[in-house]
Amino acid sequence: MLTQPSSLCAFNLTIAATAVKTISALLIMPIIYIGWLAIATGIADGHAYDAKQLEKQWKKQDNFSQALLTDAITLSEAAVHWAPDHPDYLDQLSRYLTLRYLIDKDQGTAERVRALLLHSRTIRPTWPGNWAAYIDIKHYTGETDADLGNAIVQGAHFGPWDPATIQAITQAGTTNWKVLTQEAKTAVSQTIRRGLASPVRGLPMRTAKLAERGVSGWTIEFTQALTRTLVDEEWRRANTGAYIRLTLTLWPLLSTQQKDLMLVKMMSKSSANNLLKLAKDSGRLPFICPRLPRTPRFNQLCASALTP
């Protein structure tokens, strides 16, 4: 009779000890997981950093090679292996694989780029750089579908002033203008306007050159939209070269009234020497000189510029 309470007490102590061990294990598991996550993230970050250093090397020293690209891809793959849901590492790997696709044109590589970007987007859906990269790979692979138009609209929404997004939309939008929806066309026109007006050094001229590069996709509708931008926009003096470049490209398509208006704008924002140089470089000088004021200075400059 006296042994029963003692046995019951021992049993209760055993249960309590087991409970303590279980609770301790449950408490320590998150700590172990957090520790492992920190280690994995640190390893991934090291691989991603080394890949970026290779990228900096080929950009700074202008010594890009497929071997360097392969090493950067291998390091980025390792980063993604250790941190498969880190959007920065996913986007970084997609960028290097896009460069590889431009070299080998392998569709498997392009599919992998799209998969990485879509996975990254589920984690960070409003990141403009992701939309820009997605637009680029769609453009490079010639996928002129509704998905491209949607990406252009979303990219313009989430990154209206982001340089990478502006360049991606300008390039893909001008080349594929004919197949875009009206909403996407509006996004392209507004993006070019922002690119030309951007305070980011070099971006206005890159925007102008990318718009020119897509000249094969230009339509009457596009040239009219671009003309409205050039006519209506208040040109930033620092960006005058970009505006003039596109104006001269459009010159044969402008009406007489528009030509007179644009000439006044160009002359008010640029020196005579610079204007004539840009006109000569674009092959428009014979069309520009007859419309310039008949002053000795302009006559002399035009005579000198037209001399072979």
Side-chain angles (χ1 to χ4, degrees):
M1 296 291 292
L2 293 174
T3 60
Q4 290 180 358
S6 177
S7 299
L8 182 61
C9 181
F11 177 73
N12 289 337
L13 288 173
T14 300
I15 292 177
T18 303
V20 169
K21 289 180 181 179
T22 303
I23 293 172
S24 299
L26 291 173
L27 290 174
I28 202 171
M29 282 176 64
I31 297 174
I32 294 173
Y33 173 75
I34 292 172
W36 165 251
L37 191 62
I39 292 171
T41 301
I43 295 173
D45 192 57
H47 289 308
Y49 175 81
D50 290 342
K52 287 179 183 177
Q53 292 303 110
L54 289 177
E55 183 181 358
K56 287 181 180 179
Q57 176 185 326
W58 76 57
K59 285 181 176 179
K60 184 176 181 180
Q61 300 178 12
D62 195 24
N63 64 340
F64 174 82
S65 68
Q66 292 193 49
L68 281 175
L69 178 60
T70 298
D71 289 344
I73 290 173
T74 301
L75 288 166
S76 292
E77 287 174 333
V80 170
H81 170 77
W82 286 98
D85 294 325
H86 198 302
D88 285 343
Y89 305 153
L90 293 166
D91 289 349
Q92 180 181 3
L93 177 56
S94 74
R95 186 169 68 252
Y96 298 146
L97 288 174
T98 297
L99 290 175
R100 171 175 281 177
Y101 172 78
L102 293 174
I103 295 171
D104 61 26
K105 301 297 182 183
D106 180 75
Q107 290 304 313
T109 302
E111 288 293 338
R112 195 175 172 201
V113 170
R114 283 190 289 269
L116 288 164
L117 291 172
L118 288 173
H119 179 42
S120 174
R121 193 187 303 166
T122 63
I123 304 163
R124 193 167 55 181
T126 63
W127 191 251
N130 178 280
W131 287 102
Y134 191 73
I135 292 168
D136 278 339
I137 195 62
K138 296 283 287 186
H139 170 68
Y140 295 144
T141 55
E143 295 180 50
T144 55
D145 52 14
D147 190 37
L148 173 63
N150 177 65
I152 287 173
V153 172
Q154 295 301 319
H157 174 70
F158 292 121
W161 291 97
D162 175 63
T165 307
I166 287 174
Q167 292 176 87
I169 292 176
T170 299
Q171 179 172 242
T174 52
T175 303
N176 303 291
W177 179 273
K178 298 175 185 178
V179 300
L180 298 179
T181 64
Q182 190 56 53
E183 183 182 18
K185 288 177 180 177
T186 300
V188 173
S189 294
Q190 293 301 312
T191 296
I192 292 174
R193 179 185 63 79
R194 287 190 293 270
L196 292 173
S198 174
V200 177
R201 184 176 180 180
L203 182 58
M205 186 58 75
R206 289 198 298 275
T207 301
K209 290 179 178 179
L210 286 170
E212 285 183 344
R213 192 180 298 172
V215 67
S216 61
W218 287 18
T219 65
I220 293 176
E221 182 186 22
F222 174 76
T223 56
Q224 288 174 342
L226 184 56
T227 300
R228 284 194 298 273
T229 294
L230 295 172
V231 171
D232 298 339
E233 191 73 12
E234 178 58 38
W235 296 5
R236 293 182 73 249
R237 185 172 290 276
N239 303 354
T240 296
Y243 286 109
I244 291 178
R245 185 184 181 106
L246 278 180
T247 299
L248 294 173
T249 301
L250 281 169
W251 193 260
L253 305 175
L254 300 178
S255 67
T256 300
Q257 183 180 7
Q258 288 171 334
K259 288 177 180 177
D260 290 339
L261 179 61
M262 298 308 294
L263 190 60
V264 171
K265 256 192 160 181
M266 290 190 291
M267 292 175 61
S268 67
K269 297 291 185 178
S270 175
S271 67
N273 284 327
N274 186 52
L275 173 56
L276 293 178
K277 180 183 182 301
L278 290 168
K280 185 175 183 179
D281 291 344
S282 68
R284 305 297 188 207
L285 191 59
F287 305 100
I288 296 293
C289 277
R291 307 185 75 88
L292 292 173
R294 295 293 184 175
T295 64
R297 174 170 173 72
F298 276 114
N299 289 340
Q300 181 182 3
L301 287 172
C302 278
S304 174
L306 286 169
T307 302

